[in-house]
Amino acid sequence: MDDGFTLLDRAEQVDISSAPAATLAEEEARLLALEAQYCSHGDTVHYTQFPKIFSGCEGSFMLDAAGNRFLDLQMWYSAVNFGYANPRLNTALKRQIDTLPQVASQYLHREKIELAAMIAQDAQRKFGAKGRVHFNVGGAQAVEDSLKLVRNAKKGKSLMFAFEGGYHGRTLGASAITSSYRYRRRFGHFGERAHFIPFPYHFRGPKGMSKEEYGHHCVQQFARLFESEYNGVWDPKVGEAEYAAFYVEPLQGTGGYVIPPPNFFSELKKVLDQHGILLVVDEIQMGFYRTGKLWSIEHFGVQPDVIVFGKAVTNGLNPLSGIWAKEELINPTVFPPGSTHSTFNANPLGTAVALEAMKMMQEEDYETMVMAKGKYFLDGLQGLKRRHRIVGEVDGLGMALRIEICEPHDSFTPSKRLVDLMCDEGMKADLEVGGKRYGLVLDIGGYYKNVITLAPALTMSYAEIDLAIELLDQLFARVAGA
């Protein structure tokens, strides 16, 4: 919708509550007291000191019980690519509830079959390889399934390569290939943790190299591991690597939406193919047109062996994830019935919404739309960089955008303190544009937790992009002067 503040105006009409402010405050205090006593703090809610309770959502906006509007620039970590309460996808969910809301996963239903076929046929057209799809519920569970697939294909090898700054989930297996030690520290020794390889993070890489030169340099450093048996990963006498696969995010997610040089993955894939190492591409956060392509790896001209997906495939309505893998890795002869299983792995509510989402993506030109909006948004962010010394770098691919916040004295030293302050200030809902007050929903990422990672709704209007730039401009000025 590009006809001005269509969604914003509609959001104003939503009657969240007619209760007096004092009553609303009392109810929120009651809920927070219950949460403090009975809810586990093991999730990410309490990364912030003052958790927010939301009561409604629509389009690009979250609403609280008092009716305050919050422009959401992270959309549930890119799980809601197509806007909150998307009418078409909501209708698909309601339709499925009234027809086949439940069916045990040992039986078939039409939506599962058609969805798998649509994903596999699309991959075959793009990558020239026949494959199959296996479903699960959450992204980390799909990563676990892919680890089983890879171990099985590589005769039990359990060691993997992954990137510094990479994130693949917090189950035990996924934690082993996620670079942050803090996700593993309290759960014992991880004997099969990945060998973590530097990602070409150009802004913080060696000075004097172009982005492409740095990408080539990083590949050459990785290739060096195979020069001699004494580098610890390769037996030249039999031509075999100790490592089964390399797990990659084409754009790093939690790592701060770091975008690699265009030559990096094609050069990396040549090294992997030379040494019999599978390429597993994690598209959980960047898939489904976040970057302007169905799969972000499409930007880099390489053929993956396995794709892991989740999040936006159902627009956040009902959990569904999955893997696509080449036929030789997943055909019934090598990956027979019972190789992996989850009670809800192909639930009909999830597959029905995902099937409708895939049809929607085929019918509408998301690639052109997302690339155009992403360029417009990035142009606005570059304007902010010119005006604010706390902005060290901005970058983006499609609607995956990053703002690296730094100390103002050099526009380079990472500033977690300023980003934390921005997130808190954004939740106050007191930023004013056109006589109306707004809040901002932001997400923090990056190696130093100093990056604002932007994953706005792909459906947001150009007027809402302008609103986002104006709100960020005010927020930057506020925290810089704090």
Side-chain angles (χ1 to χ4, degrees):
M1 296 181 183
D2 297 329
D3 53 345
F5 295 101
T6 305
L7 291 174
L8 182 150
D9 294 335
R10 288 169 64 198
E12 287 182 315
Q13 298 168 13
V14 177
D15 182 14
I16 299 296
S17 175
S18 58
T23 304
L24 292 174
E26 290 171 2
E27 173 64 5
E28 182 165 301
R30 183 187 72 84
L31 290 171
L32 289 174
L34 288 172
E35 191 272 343
Q37 186 171 0
Y38 296 112
C39 291
S40 163
H41 286 201
D43 53 25
T44 61
V45 170
H46 289 273
Y47 276 179
T48 182
Q49 185 177 357
F50 303 106
K52 180 69 180 176
I53 299 176
F54 285 115
S55 303
C57 60
E58 187 174 25
S60 294
F61 292 87
M62 298 295 297
L63 296 95
D64 65 15
N68 293 312
R69 299 181 302 278
F70 295 77
L71 181 62
D72 194 336
L73 297 183
Q74 60 100 16
M75 298 304 287
W76 200 357
Y77 316 116
S78 194
V80 192
N81 286 5
F82 309 107
Y84 289 117
N86 181 290
R88 178 170 174 175
L89 301 181
N90 281 12
T91 297
L93 180 64
K94 294 170 187 175
R95 184 169 61 240
Q96 190 68 26
I97 286 176
D98 290 334
T99 54
L100 183 69
Q102 296 117 334
V103 62
S105 57
Q106 69 261 42
Y107 305 117
L108 291 172
H109 58 282
R110 177 184 63 84
E111 293 78 14
K112 171 191 174 179
I113 297 168
E114 291 187 352
L115 177 61
M118 186 174 285
I119 293 170
Q121 289 167 3
D122 178 85
Q124 188 165 354
R125 285 192 299 270
K126 290 171 176 173
F127 305 123
K130 184 187 183 304
R132 297 173 186 257
V133 174
H134 180 90
F135 295 111
N136 210 311
V137 182
Q141 288 78 14
V143 168
E144 295 281 348
D145 286 343
S146 74
L147 286 166
K148 280 188 171 183
L149 193 79
V150 167
R151 286 188 181 203
N152 182 62
K154 291 297 181 179
K155 298 180 173 58
K157 287 182 182 176
S158 59
L159 297 181
M160 311 292 161
F161 290 112
F163 281 123
E164 295 175 6
Y167 179 88
H168 302 285
R170 303 190 201 191
T171 55
L172 287 175
S175 294
I177 58 173
T178 292
S179 65
S180 299
Y181 171 51
R182 71 184 177 92
Y183 299 136
R184 294 186 295 275
R185 181 180 58 81
R186 288 167 290 108
F187 306 112
H189 178 60
F190 282 64
E192 294 170 339
R193 57 151 273 182
H195 186 329
F196 296 108
I197 304 298
F199 193 83
Y201 184 0
H202 186 247
F203 180 65
R204 299 205 172 274
K207 303 306 174 188
M209 290 187 188
S210 70
K211 200 168 186 179
E212 289 75 11
E213 287 170 340
Y214 185 44
H216 178 72
H217 169 76
C218 288
V219 172
Q220 292 307 302
Q221 290 298 106
F222 174 65
R224 178 184 168 276
L225 295 175
F226 302 92
E227 290 179 356
S228 164
E229 66 181 276
Y230 296 104
N231 291 338
V233 304
W234 178 248
D235 183 350
K237 290 189 176 182
V238 298
E240 186 174 321
E242 190 174 11
Y243 288 74
F246 201 138
Y247 275 74
V248 310
E249 295 167 287
L251 276 68
Q252 293 202 307
T254 301
Y257 284 24
V258 182
I259 301 170
N263 60 316
F264 176 71
F265 277 112
S266 59
E267 294 186 22
L268 178 68
K269 185 64 161 61
K270 290 177 183 177
V271 178
L272 299 180
D273 288 346
Q274 288 168 4
H275 299 95
I277 297 167
L278 298 173
L279 178 65
V280 181
V281 177
D282 183 337
E283 294 277 1
I284 294 167
Q285 189 162 163
M286 293 298 161
F288 306 106
Y289 287 97
R290 170 55 54 199
T291 67
K293 301 280 190 182
L294 182 68
W295 310 120
S296 61
I297 195 65
E298 294 178 54
H299 289 283
F300 304 105
V302 301
Q303 183 190 87
D305 296 297
V306 181
I307 295 173
V308 185
F309 61 86
K311 287 191 186 292
V313 68
T314 64
N315 205 40
L317 284 175
N318 207 75
L320 189 77
S321 64
I323 56 176
W324 170 88
K326 289 182 176 179
E327 179 75 4
E328 60 265 31
L329 303 176
I330 200 172
N331 74 75
T333 302
V334 298
F335 206 67
S339 295
T340 187
H341 175 72
S342 168
T343 299
F344 302 100
N345 68 353
N347 65 88
L349 296 181
T351 54
V353 176
L355 181 61
E356 191 69 22
M358 288 295 294
K359 290 177 180 177
M360 186 175 72
M361 286 180 262
Q362 284 190 345
E363 293 165 12
E364 301 180 29
D365 188 359
Y366 273 88
E367 180 170 348
T368 300
M369 179 185 71
V370 171
M371 296 306 290
K373 287 182 180 179
K375 181 182 183 304
Y376 185 81
F377 209 139
L378 184 57
D379 287 346
L381 296 180
Q382 288 167 341
L384 294 180
K385 182 178 183 297
R386 290 190 291 270
R387 292 195 294 276
H388 298 279
R389 288 190 54 80
I390 64 172
V391 180
E393 188 202 39
V394 298
D395 202 357
L397 183 59
M399 292 284 268
L401 303 139
R402 72 189 311 269
I403 310 170
E404 182 138 357
I405 301 299
C406 303
E407 293 294 336
H409 72 276
D410 63 359
S411 303
F412 184 76
T413 301
S415 185
K416 181 179 183 298
R417 70 176 184 90
L418 288 176
V419 171
D420 288 343
L421 183 57
M422 285 176 195
C423 289
D424 290 341
E425 290 296 315
M427 284 290 112
K428 291 181 177 178
D430 63 353
L431 299 165
E432 189 169 314
V433 175
K436 299 175 183 177
R437 294 165 64 123
Y438 301 94
L440 263 181
V441 178
L442 302 174
D443 192 40
I444 299 173
Y447 292 34
Y448 306 97
K449 300 304 174 192
N450 71 310
V451 177
I452 299 173
T453 54
L454 303 180
L458 307 183
T459 54
M460 79 185 308
S461 68
Y462 283 90
E464 288 167 348
I465 295 174
D466 290 339
L467 174 63
I469 296 298
E470 175 61 29
L471 293 173
L472 288 167
D473 195 19
Q474 291 185 28
L475 191 61
F476 293 167
R478 179 185 294 188
V479 301

